[in-house]
Structures are given as structure tokens and as C-alpha cells.
Amino acid sequence: MSEEVLLDPTNEAEPPLREPATRLGSLEGATVGLLDISKARGDVFLDHLESRLTNRQVEVLRFRKPTFSKLAPVDVRQQISERCDAVIEALAD
Amino acid sequence: MTDMEARGIPTVFVASSEFIDAAEAQAGALGSDPPRVFVQHPIQDRTDDEVRALADAAFDEIVSKLVN
Amino acid sequence: MSDTLSRLGDGLVAVVKEDCPTCQLVTPVLEEVRSAGMPLTVITQDDPAFPPGLEPVDDRELEISYRLDVEAVPTLYKLSNGSIVDRRIGWNRGEWRDFTGLEELGADLPEYRPGCGSLSVEPGMPERLRLRFDDVGSTARHITVGADEDPVEACFARGWTDGLPVVPPTPERVERMLGGTRRDRNEIVTDVAPDYGECTVEKVAINAVMAGCLPECLPVVLTAVEAVCTDEFNMHGLAATTLSMGPILIVNGPIRRRIGMNSGMNVLGQGNRANATIGRALQLVVRNVGGARPGAVDRATLGSPAKYTLCFPEDEEASPWESLAAERGVAAGTSSVTVFGGESPRVVVDQQSREPESLARTFASALRTVIHPKLVLGFDAFMVIGPEHARVLSEGGWDKARLREELQKLLTLDGAELVRGAGGIAEGLPKQMADQKIPKFHPDGLWFVHAGGKAGFFSAILGGWVRGAGGTQIVTKEIRE
């Protein structure tokens, strides 16, 4: 697809960026997903994040995305959204 | 990643510092300003211990972008 | 006058395209004009090598054709000081001889041959060329969607939709939509609650594109926006209510036929583009320009599918009675929109009644339960009376006034039945009203429109939102194009 221009249908009171998702109040009791985007060394990086999070009593779930260039396939995204409160995606190189 | 944000799940994207420009461009294109943490390039050539050190260095910043 | 035309100089200009038999035919004629020493510029729309030997100006970008307002090729123009003085369209020997003053012109050609369509007026081209070569004066923010993102998804991501996909509002589509009105794009239509952002004709057009409207529907949407943004209608309150209410549009007058609305079978349902998209465009304006979104200002507990779209025309032609518009004071032959704050339709079945008295009792029983059987006077109601029911009434000699009178009588209720606690139901009127006789509806609180398929003894009730101070009132506005 090439770039396209759209006209803004709103009253333009807000900037045209999407609002980010609400952040967590704290990590306590949260389930954090670690999504490995499958560049080399991502696993080492995420393993270490996992151990630091686990030390803070955070539940950690691990996921993998097959290739870097595509968005995560539907079932991975679905699992993440069903089971996780937050996600860390690493490591783009 | 932005798809998770759209589903209401706070997300942080970790990339090497090589990606700073590309990430800016993509964010502008997708109309979102997703939280990103950059770790010092290079990644591939480092030892496991060095990669773990990068993770340590980035940890607080990563957490700060997931939590209020 | 423009720079482009000034650069062509004074004299004759011929616009042609290679893919046109008449343009091929007149090529020797153009050579004759040149040989006679007349200043002639030849403009070609598709092939810079055509016509050969005449050194045509390459107008594949179509800027010159746009500025010359070419509709057909060949067209022969006379220009002076960068302005068009005169033109002849197609080949006509007598006309071209007069135009050029060359009495022997085209002696070998047939008398007359019509032209072909200009490339500059093919579908979609007028808007595209206008955007390319003129400043159309858009004041809306332009948002670039990156090459990685699907424009349909971009609209979802930015929160512009009602949950269903919308047509991405590109400048071209909006330009085409604005062709449906004579109003200036930057004219302020109204302030739209709840944010009270200024709504221009252009903003309405953008949302109409997203809804999927055709340009001919834009005047109806503009009028509907004006109507719901009146203080009397109170769109702010309607959008914010916890009740399942939305703005319902009823269209009357000649515009219904012109834009292909459906007032017959399935009139309240899906399938007709004009019905569906006009109602949807209004909802999108309220959402996007007004800022009324679920969870924010819109706090409806249950909501209603009517909040996607509910817009329909009255079947005036088959109606035995005067139209809603006539009742509301609109002159015959004028088109109008009536807006009503209400809920999704509820069907009323009565397949046995052939006397109006009996049918009226069915209606009254059903109307009794609008909002709550024990609550009265706070709400209006609309009835869509199907043709078979209408026939029962009209064959019995009843007009709208008679029906209204009878329903008022049947729905004047005993306070004792309505007060809180009566019938074992906590809901109801304050106890002190127990010895009163109270009508369910105000005298001007019950409206009828005639619409629906010819077969089926059914009508429908659309219960209304709160009336009075803080509530809503039905509004009718004439459509101007």
C-alpha cells in the first residue's frame, strides 16, 4: 500500500495520534508477557528480564513470534491479550 | 506491538539504538507513539554476560513505561 | 483566467486525443488551419505523438484540459488574453468554417461528426484534477496514513468508526461528496454537542463519506445535523442519556424518490443505501464532531442497534392521510427531515382487526407499555403504520386526527393503577396522583407515519426519550440543497 491522506472527521480537539493503553498501577500481582521477536540474543535478554521480574513476584509468560517483519500471528496475540496484563517485546536489532 | 496497545494491553518495545530513526518513522506512519526503550548497539556480537548487563541497564526504564 | 491559459497565447486552441475517431478525422482540418497561417495550438490528452506533424502540447497531466473545462474532444477554442472567448464542440463543418473564417475548410470531410468524452471528465477525474491544480480551500486537518497501514484499519485505530468499517475519507472522496451541495465547504452548519465543536459543511461531508453516502444524500445529512443540534432537540442530553435512545430521522418530500430511499418492504431494516447511510452519517457526526462516544459522554446502559442508523422515508404516495411533513407545517413539494429522539422499533401485530375501533385498541394496549406501563406523560411515541393497518383505519373512515383522539381516550388511565406499589410494582407515579385520570401521552406527543410493505398486518412503535425541560422535542427542518 502506498501512503494515503485522509481528512480528519473529528472536531480536531485532540492530536491525531492513537491513545496508548492505560498503564498498570503497579507490577504487583501482574502477569507480564515477554514476546520474543526472534532476533538472535533476544532469548538471553528476555531470560534475564524474566529472572528480574520473577524476583519481584511478577508472573511471567513467554511467547515467540516467528519472524521480525510481520506482526505476531493471531493466536499469539490472542493468547497474550487473554493472559497478560502487560507485554515486553524484544529485541529488535 | 501496536496491536496489543489497541487491545488495551500496555506494551514496551525494546530495540537496539540502531532503530531509533526507523522507529520514529514507523510511529508517525501508524499514528501512534508507542513506548520504546533502546539498548546500546551492537547486540549480536556481545557475550551472554554483556547482553544480560544490557538487560539490567534497561530494566528500570522498561518497567517505568509499563507502570504509571 | 490563469497562467496556464495565458501561456497558450491568443488564437485558436484545439484539444484532441488519439483515442477518438473524430479527432483522427479532423487532423487534416487542423493542418489546413495551420497552413492558412492562423495561430493554432493543438493540445493532446493521451499521446504526445498525436496528431503527427502538428507539434501538439503534451497535456497528459490534463491541467490545460481542466482549465479549459473540456467536456468532449475535439473542442476548438478561441482564446484572448488567457480567457476563453468562444468554443465549438465536435466536428461541424459549417460551424468550424464560421469560427475560423476559412470558407474551404474540411471540404473532403463529412458534414458533421460528434466528439468523444474528454479524459478530464471521466468518472473521478473532475475531483482529482480540482485537487491537483486548484486550492480547494479545505480547512480540515489532513492526516497521512503510512504505507504500512491499511486506511480502513487506520480509521478504526483512530476511533472514528461506530464499530463497523468506514470508507476512508480521502480528499478525492470528500471532494466528490461536496459536489452534492451548493453550500460552501467552510460554511458553519452548527455547533455539535457535547463538545460544541464547530461543524463545517466539510466535516459533515467527511463523515458522510465514511458512512458510505452518495453525494446526492449530503443535503439530507446536513439538514439532519442542523435539526439535531437545535436546543429543542437537545442532542447533548440524548447522547449522554443512560436510556437506549438515539436520533431517528424521517424524510418527506420529493428528495426521497430522487435519492432512491426505500419506504416500502423492510423500510426500518437493512438493505437500502440511502436509508442506511444517511442515518449512519448523522451518528458519525455526533460521535466524531460532537465527541459523543460510549464510555465517555455516551453513558447508555444498554444502547440500541438504532444507534448505528435509523433513517427512513414516509410512503406518502400510498398513504391515505396527510404526510408527517404536512402535519408539521411543511409546504407541499418541499422536502424535509423530522428528527425524533427514540428507541429501536417494536412491532405491533394485529392480523384479525378489520374495524378501526378494534385496531385502535390493539395500538393502545401496545402504546401503554412505552417506557413502562405505569409511567405517563414523560415520553412521546412515533407509530409507523403499515399499509394494511392503514387501510383498516381509512376504510373505516378514520384519519390521523380521529386515531389520535381515540388513542388519547383509550390511554387516559386511572391514577390508582399507575401509582407506585399499584399492581405489586414499585415503579410508578407518586402516590398523590392516585385519584387522577391521566393520559399516557401529551396531545402533541403521538405521531404517525405511513410506511412499510404492502403485505402484512403490522405496525411499529418507536418509544421516545424524555420530553420537556432537559429532554427532547421533535424537530422538523426543510432541506435546502
Side-chain angles (χ1 to χ4, degrees), chain C residues 5-274:
Chain C
L5 297 188
S6 303
R7 265 183 262 122
L8 293 176
D10 290 355
L12 297 173
V13 174
V15 184
V16 297
K17 68 180 184 186
E18 193 272 341
D19 182 21
C20 164
T22 310
C23 297
Q24 302 276 351
L25 184 78
V26 303
T27 301
V29 172
L30 297 176
E31 284 163 3
E32 278 183 68
V33 173
R34 271 269 171 86
S35 315
M38 306 202 72
L40 170 67
T41 310
V42 180
I43 313 289
T44 188
Q45 292 190 336
D46 57 352
D47 182 353
F50 174 84
L54 283 164
E55 292 156 2
V57 175
D58 182 351
D59 192 37
R60 280 176 294 176
E61 288 296 298
L62 297 174
E63 181 173 4
I64 301 172
S65 299
Y66 169 69
R67 301 244 178 255
L68 285 172
D69 202 20
V70 180
E71 289 178 3
V73 289
T75 298
L76 188 63
Y77 291 87
K78 231 178 240 174
L79 291 191
S80 173
N81 286 329
S83 294
I84 300 168
V85 174
D86 205 357
R87 77 182 79 186
R88 294 289 176 269
I89 301 171
W91 161 248
N92 180 308
R93 186 164 54 212
E95 284 188 355
W96 281 48
R97 283 180 173 178
D98 279 341
F99 203 68
T100 58
L102 298 172
E103 288 164 13
E104 308 295 315
L105 199 63
D108 302 329
L109 266 57
E111 182 78 42
Y112 160 76
R113 190 66 73 76
C116 311
S118 165
L119 291 179
S120 59
V121 298
E122 294 200 327
M125 284 312 290
E127 301 84 60
R128 209 173 297 167
L129 297 177
R130 199 176 315 130
L131 285 165
R132 200 183 291 166
F133 298 125
D134 276 333
D135 176 10
V136 296
S138 169
T139 50
R141 180 161 60 193
H142 284 53
I143 293 174
T144 305
V145 173
D148 284 336
E149 199 179 11
D150 180 335
V152 171
E153 292 301 323
C155 296
F156 273 119
R158 284 163 177 75
W160 295 347
T161 83
D162 52 8
L164 291 168
V166 292
V167 177
T170 60
E172 257 175 62
R173 291 192 179 116
V174 176
E175 199 60 29
R176 200 169 311 136
M177 179 62 65
L178 286 165
T181 181
R182 281 190 267 271
R183 294 163 80 163
D184 184 82
R185 69 199 301 146
N186 291 316
E187 183 188 314
I188 310 261
V189 177
T190 182
D191 294 341
V192 187
D195 285 356
Y196 296 99
E198 259 176 6
C199 183
T200 57
V201 169
E202 185 178 34
K203 284 291 175 183
V204 177
I206 295 169
N207 284 279
V209 166
M210 298 202 309
C213 292
L214 287 171
E216 66 225 27
C217 292
L218 185 61
V220 187
V221 181
L222 287 166
T223 307
V225 172
E226 285 172 341
V228 304
C229 292
T230 53
D231 288 338
E232 311 90 87
F233 186 78
N234 189 9
M235 191 63 229
H236 190 161
L238 189 66
T241 182
T242 48
L243 261 181
S244 302
M245 301 289 171
I248 298 167
L249 311 182
I250 301 150
V251 182
N252 283 101
I255 201 165
R256 298 165 300 137
R257 284 268 172 87
R258 203 157 66 241
I259 65 180
M261 298 191 85
N262 170 38
S263 61
M265 225 177 341
N266 204 32
V267 58
L268 300 174
Q270 81 291 10
N272 178 278
R273 184 174 181 174

Side-chain angles (χ1 to χ4, degrees), chain C residues 238-245 293-304 307:
Chain C
L238 189 66
T241 182
T242 48
L243 261 181
S244 302
M245 301 289 171
R293 281 150 202 231
V297 171
D298 182 335
R299 308 203 71 84
T301 310
L302 295 171
S304 145
K307 290 168 75 173

Side-chain angles (χ1 to χ4, degrees), chain C residues 317-384:
Chain C
E317 291 71 13
S319 173
W321 308 310
E322 61 171 355
S323 71
L324 173 69
E327 278 196 283
R328 302 279 302 152
V330 177
T334 305
S335 297
S336 64
V337 174
T338 299
V339 293
F340 174 71
E343 60 174 359
S344 256
R346 171 163 53 104
V347 77
V348 178
V349 177
D350 183 336
Q351 302 183 95
Q352 296 301 317
S353 295
R354 295 295 183 274
E355 301 298 320
E357 290 78 6
S358 171
L359 186 56
R361 283 171 184 272
T362 290
F363 286 173
S365 312
L367 285 165
R368 172 82 192 260
T369 61
V370 167
I371 302 298
H372 190 288
K374 295 171 73 190
L375 292 179
V376 299
L377 287 179
F379 312 85
D380 294 347
F382 246 93
M383 283 201 70
V384 180

Side-chain angles (χ1 to χ4, degrees), chain A residues 1-19, chain C residues 141-145 147 150-151 157 160 169-171 195 203 206-207 288-289:
Chain A
M1 269 167 280
S2 56
E3 240 180 39
E4 222 178 307
V5 171
L6 301 182
L7 298 190
D8 190 327
T10 72
N11 59 27
E12 303 183 16
E14 287 161 22
L17 299 180
R18 274 182 277 185
E19 266 175 47
Chain C
R141 180 161 60 193
H142 284 53
I143 293 174
T144 305
V145 173
D150 180 335
W160 295 347
T170 60
D195 285 356
K203 284 291 175 183
I206 295 169
N207 284 279
N288 288 323
V289 184

